[in-house]
Amino acid sequence: MRQLGKIWLSCWLYVITAIAGILIGLTCANWSVWTMQTKLVALGTALLAFHVMYNLMEEDNIPDRYPMNQMSDMWTNFIGIIFGCFCLVIGVTPMLAVMQLLLCFGEMMAHISSGFHIKKMLQDKGKKTIYNPGLFTTLFGYLPIAIELVISFFTEAAPGFTDVILAIVCGGIMMGIELPGAEKVFKDKNTPYAYTWGHGYFEKYMK
């Protein structure tokens, strides 16, 4: 089972990138057919393939494996992509569009706040900006999607009170499964699924 897990982890990024490419292609091909909310959910789902975070928020001395590791990171993203594809198959409703809007707001809050946190944490090592992995796709991906979703509620289909409540409840459940849920299941300081490609953007601050 562990070997199968490692095989999947060696290729899952290629799989979700392919899914993202298909979603973008379908969006372009159906631009004049799909509703704006459907297009935005499709693009928001595709964006997950290019959106990342990093293990610095907990200030642990083993950010390559704890609290997140490759397996929990994979499920965090893959569950969201599966759900987004499911929404497209059953048809995007205003309630599902509100769920996408909440995801956009959540990503913006998480990456902006973590940006300030990481800047403070690494300022003695020369960090001068709040930039962190995922902030670019948040500001130039999720932010415009959120703005367009709000506009679509006035120009296309507005969610009712019940839609908003259901979106908050279902969105909370989804985020609970994707983030703390996946992390709790796979959190292990001795995990065999540690990151193996270094610190990436943060490499210069880890010396």
Side-chain angles (χ1 to χ4, degrees):
M1 184 64 71
R2 179 178 295 183
Q3 187 61 32
L4 287 175
K6 288 187 176 181
I7 291 173
W8 170 242
L9 289 175
S10 70
C11 66
W12 79 276
L13 287 173
Y14 299 105
V15 173
I16 65 170
T17 300
I19 293 174
I22 292 171
L23 291 176
I24 293 171
L26 288 172
T27 303
C28 293
N30 293 281
W31 192 263
S32 61
V33 179
W34 282 358
T35 65
M36 179 56 68
Q37 291 175 5
T38 298
K39 288 182 275 192
L40 293 171
V41 170
L43 293 175
T45 301
L47 193 60
L48 283 171
F50 309 101
H51 189 69
V52 295
M53 289 190 74
Y54 193 73
N55 265 340
L56 285 180
M57 293 300 291
E58 300 294 333
E59 301 184 43
D60 201 278
N61 61 356
I62 48 173
D64 66 325
R65 68 195 65 202
Y66 188 87
M68 288 176 59
N69 54 62
Q70 286 195 63
M71 188 62 75
S72 58
D73 185 36
M74 181 275 295
W75 280 115
T76 296
N77 290 277
F78 203 60
I79 289 173
I81 290 176
I82 291 173
F83 181 75
C85 291
F86 174 74
C87 293
L88 295 171
V89 170
I90 65 173
V92 174
T93 63
M95 188 275 281
L96 295 174
V98 174
M99 285 186 66
Q100 179 65 62
L101 179 63
L102 294 176
L103 169 66
C104 292
F105 283 150
E107 292 291 349
M108 286 186 282
M109 291 177 60
H111 282 277
I112 291 174
S113 62
S114 65
F116 282 105
H117 175 85
I118 293 171
K119 178 180 179 292
K120 181 179 179 180
M121 195 171 78
L122 298 176
Q123 63 183 357
D124 61 333
K125 295 185 178 181
K127 187 146 182 39
K128 299 179 180 179
T129 70
I130 67 169
Y131 177 79
N132 59 91
L135 183 62
F136 182 87
T137 49
T138 295
L139 296 179
F140 295 97
Y142 287 119
L143 177 57
I145 287 175
I147 293 172
E148 287 296 329
L149 280 170
V150 172
I151 293 173
S152 77
F153 294 151
F154 294 95
T155 61
E156 189 172 86
F161 178 76
T162 302
D163 292 324
V164 174
I165 297 300
L166 283 174
I168 293 173
V169 173
C170 294
I173 293 173
M174 275 294 300
M175 292 190 72
I177 294 173
E178 286 184 89
L179 297 173
E183 184 179 295
K184 184 175 181 180
V185 171
F186 295 103
K187 184 164 61 175
D188 180 6
K189 291 186 176 182
N190 299 309
T191 179
Y193 306 119
Y195 295 98
T196 57
W197 50 78
H199 300 294
Y201 165 76
F202 290 105
E203 193 70 48
K204 57 189 172 184
Y205 302 113
M206 296 294 147
K207 298 177 183 178

